[in-house]
């Protein structure tokens, strides 16, 4: 597994080629799907496919907004937003990538929901001369991608460990609730948490091998089971993504443990923000999804223009707590704007 995929090559042969392409145009239709962005005038519109892990969570809608903002800033960019509804549907995501290859889009920004499962599809796209930026979650080694744009998820996991330690007084039993096998971003969060918690000798991780899945219902059921085993002496739970944290919070509330067992979440939701305010959630590790979408498009277009792009670009990681949640910058990340 490579956390920092290698630099790829431009879609067009030279800077001169893309300048001529943008000026001359080749008669391609500027027709869009709903919610896409395009420029105006006689310049050629570049079509860039943005493929998230899923389309149902607010996080991805904020990524979409960031991509649209970059497209509007550059001009003459059409964003084709397409992805599976749920985040564990790797087959559908592969099909979307292949459809974009068939459409001969000019570039692809992809958040792979399975680090190994998307390798062949990405290789195929690059083989067809379509540059690919990976965002949010990494890809296994192989494809010569343009760049990887993401949160430093290992650091995010370490931040979660530190916030857990603060919440429980650096002593007690805690659970790491995993997401899905093969999801690079959450695996890095899990690794960072386990590494970070080692700094606190009086904290014991009593469960770190349970996977909660891609939705809140499955997460609640998993936490219900874990509370039956560990609930009596449990001090905290770290849930590594929004649906897992939502399900965990519901389970803790139902069991009457939402103030006793400290919850550290990753990514916000309305329920988790309410939990921060009423003491049911002790911290939320935050990303910047708008910046992620924005930098993904910017990196792709720069590569097309022959500019060198960094192999890895971090979009930042932060922690919201009951004490800082109303500070302007944290408040903005807790409630990021979304595409309408």
């Amino acid at each position: 597994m490579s956390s920092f995929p290698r630099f790829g090559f431009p879609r067009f042969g030279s800077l001169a080629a893309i300048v001529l392409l943008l000026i001359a145009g080749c008669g391609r239709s500027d027709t869009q799907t709903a919610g896409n962005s395009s420029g105006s005038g006689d310049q050629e519109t570049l079509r860039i496919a943005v493929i998230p892990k899923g389309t149902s969570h607010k996080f991805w809608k904020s990524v979409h907004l960031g991509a649209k903002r970059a497209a509007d800033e550059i001009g003459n960019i059409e964003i084709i937003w397409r992805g599976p509804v749920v985040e564990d549907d790797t087959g559908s995501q592969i099909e979307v990538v292949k459809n974009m290859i068939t459409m001969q889009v000019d570039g692809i920004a992809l958040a792979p929901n399975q680090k190994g499962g998307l390798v062949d599809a990405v290789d195929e796209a690059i083989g067809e001369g379509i540059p690919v930026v990976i965002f949010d979650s990494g890809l296994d080694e192989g494809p010569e991608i343009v760049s990887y744009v993401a949160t430093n998820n290992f650091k995010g996991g370490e931040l979660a460990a530190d916030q857990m330690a603060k919440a429980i007084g650096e002593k007690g039993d805690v659970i790491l609730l995993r997401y899905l096998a093969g999801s690079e971003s959450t695996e890095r969060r899990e690794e960072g948490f386990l590494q970070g918690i080692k700094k606190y000798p009086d904290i014991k991780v009593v469960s770190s091998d349970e996977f909660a899945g891609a939705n809140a219902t499955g997460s609640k059921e998993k936490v219900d089971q874990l509370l039956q085993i560990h609930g009596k002496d449990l001090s905290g739970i770290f849930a590594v993504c929004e649906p897992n944290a939502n399900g965990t919070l519901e389970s803790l509330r139902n069991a009457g443990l939402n103030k006793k067992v400290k919850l550290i979440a990753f990514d916000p939701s309305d329920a988790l923000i309410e939990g921060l305010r009423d003491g049911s959630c002790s911290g939320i590790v935050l990303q910047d999804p708008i910046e992620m979408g924005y930098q993904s498009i910017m990196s792709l277009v720069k590569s097309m223009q022959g500019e060198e792009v960094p192999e890895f670009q971090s979009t930042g990681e932060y922690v919201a707590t009951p004490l800082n949640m109303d500070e302007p910058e944290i408040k903005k990340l807790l409630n990021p704007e979304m595409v309408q």
Side-chain angles (χ1 to χ4, degrees):
M1 182 184 75
S2 173
S3 299
F4 293 48
R6 299 189 296 276
F7 179 76
F9 39 81
R11 168 73 169 88
F12 300 101
S14 66
L15 176 58
I18 191 166
V19 170
L20 289 172
L21 176 63
L22 289 170
I23 294 174
C26 299
R28 178 183 291 158
S29 170
D30 289 345
T31 302
Q32 303 173 37
T33 58
N36 291 342
S37 301
S38 68
S40 59
D42 297 330
Q43 289 182 330
E44 174 71 9
T45 296
L46 296 178
R47 298 181 304 161
I48 296 178
V50 183
I51 306 171
K53 285 184 177 181
T55 55
S56 57
H57 293 304
K58 289 182 178 181
F59 179 88
W60 303 115
K61 296 176 183 179
S62 296
V63 170
H64 190 183
L65 179 62
K68 281 172 57 65
R69 284 183 177 175
D72 291 341
E73 183 177 319
I74 297 167
N76 297 99
I77 303 289
E78 176 187 349
I79 297 299
I80 303 173
W81 177 262
R82 200 96 25 104
V85 175
V86 294
E87 297 183 13
D88 58 353
D89 191 352
T90 302
S92 290
Q93 195 177 45
I94 292 170
E95 185 177 348
V96 171
V97 175
K98 289 182 177 292
N99 287 341
M100 295 303 106
I101 296 170
T102 300
M103 289 173 61
Q104 279 295 292
V105 296
D106 296 293
I108 293 173
L110 169 69
N113 62 25
Q114 224 285 341
K115 64 184 179 182
L118 273 294
V119 167
D120 289 345
V122 171
D123 252 338
E124 183 179 343
I126 294 170
E128 291 294 323
I130 301 172
V132 178
V133 162
I134 296 297
F135 70 91
D136 179 69
S137 191
L139 195 70
D140 274 349
E141 287 187 4
E144 293 286 345
I145 67 170
V146 170
S147 184
Y148 177 30
V149 180
T151 304
N152 184 330
N153 284 291
F154 188 90
K155 182 178 178 182
E158 290 182 314
L159 292 175
D162 289 338
Q163 186 60 27
M164 176 67 79
K166 290 177 185 177
I168 66 174
E170 300 188 9
K171 183 177 182 179
D173 293 348
V174 301
I175 288 173
L176 164 64
L177 187 64
R178 294 182 184 266
Y179 174 58
L180 288 171
S183 169
E184 191 269 353
S185 59
T186 49
E187 287 181 348
R188 294 292 289 164
R189 295 169 197 174
E190 293 154 7
E191 293 165 3
F193 179 82
L194 292 174
Q195 183 64 36
I197 213 71
K198 290 179 181 178
K199 294 187 296 184
Y200 307 98
D202 293 326
I203 297 178
K204 180 181 179 182
V205 180
V206 295
S207 174
S208 63
D209 58 358
E210 295 289 345
F211 290 85
N215 61 71
T217 300
S219 300
K220 176 189 175 300
E221 292 172 354
K222 179 62 68 176
V223 175
D224 287 345
Q225 296 168 13
L226 289 168
L227 290 178
Q228 290 294 321
I229 301 169
H230 303 289
K232 181 180 177 182
D233 300 314
L234 192 63
S235 297
I237 299 177
F238 172 45
V240 300
C241 63
E242 178 203 340
N244 291 174
N246 287 334
T248 300
L249 179 58
E250 183 180 357
S251 178
L252 290 173
R253 286 190 189 280
N254 289 349
L257 296 173
N258 53 301
K259 300 293 178 71
K260 175 183 179 293
V261 177
K262 306 303 182 182
L263 170 62
I264 306 298
F266 207 113
D267 288 335
S269 69
D270 291 342
L272 293 168
I273 294 169
E274 179 186 345
L276 267 187
R277 202 167 291 283
D278 70 16
S280 300
C281 179
S282 297
I284 305 173
V285 182
L286 302 173
Q287 307 182 77
D288 191 339
I290 294 175
E291 183 69 10
M292 197 176 293
Y294 179 88
Q295 289 297 343
S296 295
I297 300 305
M298 285 295 187
S299 297
L300 205 46
V301 173
K302 285 178 181 178
S303 172
M304 291 176 181
Q305 294 173 338
E307 294 186 38
E308 200 165 308
V309 179
E311 292 183 356
F312 174 72
Q313 300 175 73
S314 174
T315 52
E317 47 286 324
Y318 315 85
V319 181
T321 71
L323 295 178
N324 72 5
M325 64 182 295
D326 290 319
E327 294 177 6
E329 287 304 311
I330 295 297
K331 192 172 183 178
K332 184 177 178 181
L333 292 169
L334 280 171
N335 298 277
E337 295 179 73
M338 298 179 291
V339 74
Q340 300 299 317

